[in-house]
Structure formats: structure tokens, C-alpha cells
Amino acid sequence: MNLKNKLYYISLASIMLALLIVCSQLTIPLPMIPLTLQTLAVGLLASILPLRYSLQTILVYLLLGFIGLPVFANFKGGLGVLFSNTGGYLLGFLVYVMIVGSMAAKKQTFNWLLLANSLGALMQLLCGSLWLLVISDINLENALLIGTVPFLLPGAIKVILVCICAQIYYRKFTKRSVKI
């Protein structure tokens, strides 16, 4: 990859990081886990950035939050967030990005991205639910009922929006000399 392409992806990753931080603050409070637009931003960055840059962007986001910057939902930050109800969902972003980034490297059709993002989003929700199981005194059924089921419909809507936005990006910006 030449210097021009590296600079392009570093710039795009920086913009996506800023978008992720902003989307983290757009919250609908729910009893145990807030509903945010974080996963929309995660899916979008995973769909348009190469896997390496997607992972680096998520790692920077997590690092910023874990050192105390208020980048997580409801302007929270600090290592304590990892051990809260939302910790598994945050770590699940890495799984989401790995699934989507691996699949998007093969092709970027709407249906393929829909499959990739659906799998990534579902695995991220399952990571969050399993985390609830570990840190709470609940069984697997309750962890799934609390941590996955309420987010399936909003997640499906976000996945469709991600795919639409990614397709617009591909049409508008990948005609450049930059190759994914």
C-alpha cells in the first residue's frame, strides 16, 4: 500500500473514530444496557475500512475509554466500565469488526454486507449477554432475554442503515485510485 492510500485510510479511520464517539452519546436509556448508535458506527467503519484499520480504530476507542476519557455511552469512561453491564458489548466490538472486515474484504455487495453485519452484530450482542452472565447472578436464558432479545429489532434496523451507507460510500468514493 502506497503512502497516499495509507494517509487516506488513516484519515478515514480518524473520521470514523470521531463518528463512533458521537454515536456513543446518542442514547435511549434502557434498564440494564443503553441503546446507542455505537453499533451503527462500528458496522459502518467495519464495512468501509480494511480490517487492519477497523481493528485499530476500535482498539483506540476502547483505549481512550478505558483510560478515563468519556467516550462511552452517557459520557462514561474508565476501566470500571469494562466490569459493568456494558463491558462485554464494548469488547464485542472487536468481534463485530473481525467478522465484517473479513467478509467485506471478499466483496462489498449489499446482500453480502447485510449477512456480514448481521453476523457481526449478533455475535457482538452474544458477547454482551455472556458478559452479563459472568458478572451478574443470572442464568443464560435471562442473560439472553436481557442482553440480546431487546436489541434484535433495533440492531436489524441499524444493520440495514449500515449497508445502505456503505453502498453509498462505495459508489461515491471507491472510484479513486485507493483500493481496499
Side-chain angles (χ1 to χ4, degrees), residues 53-89:
Y53 290 97
S54 295
L55 280 171
Q56 289 172 349
T57 302
I58 296 298
L59 286 170
V60 168
Y61 173 73
L62 294 174
L63 180 63
L64 290 173
F66 293 152
I67 64 170
L69 294 177
V71 296
F72 299 142
N74 299 317
F75 295 100
K76 290 185 180 172
L79 196 55
V81 175
L82 177 62
F83 299 104
S84 73
N85 292 340
T86 60
Y89 296 95

Side-chain angles (χ1 to χ4, degrees), residues 8 17 31 43 57 60 75 81 103 142 157:
Y8 175 81
L17 176 61
T57 302
V60 168
F75 295 100
V81 175
M103 292 178 72
N142 285 337
I157 294 167

Side-chain angles (χ1 to χ4, degrees), residues 89 129-130 132-133 138-148:
Y89 296 95
S129 292
L130 291 174
L132 287 175
L133 180 69
I138 58 176
N139 61 30
L140 179 60
E141 181 181 352
N142 285 337
L144 293 172
L145 286 173
I146 294 168
T148 300

Side-chain angles (χ1 to χ4, degrees), residues 5-68:
N5 288 356
K6 285 182 184 178
L7 289 174
Y8 175 81
Y9 286 123
I10 290 169
S11 299
L12 186 56
S14 300
I15 291 166
M16 296 307 297
L17 176 61
L19 179 67
L20 177 57
I21 292 168
V22 169
C23 286
S24 297
Q25 306 317 318
L26 302 174
T27 305
I28 298 169
L30 295 177
M32 295 252 328
I33 292 94
L35 176 64
T36 69
L37 292 182
Q38 283 174 310
T39 50
L40 183 126
V42 170
L44 189 58
L45 74 88
S47 296
I48 66 175
L49 287 170
L51 178 58
R52 173 179 151 206
Y53 290 97
S54 295
L55 280 171
Q56 289 172 349
T57 302
I58 296 298
L59 286 170
V60 168
Y61 173 73
L62 294 174
L63 180 63
L64 290 173
F66 293 152
I67 64 170

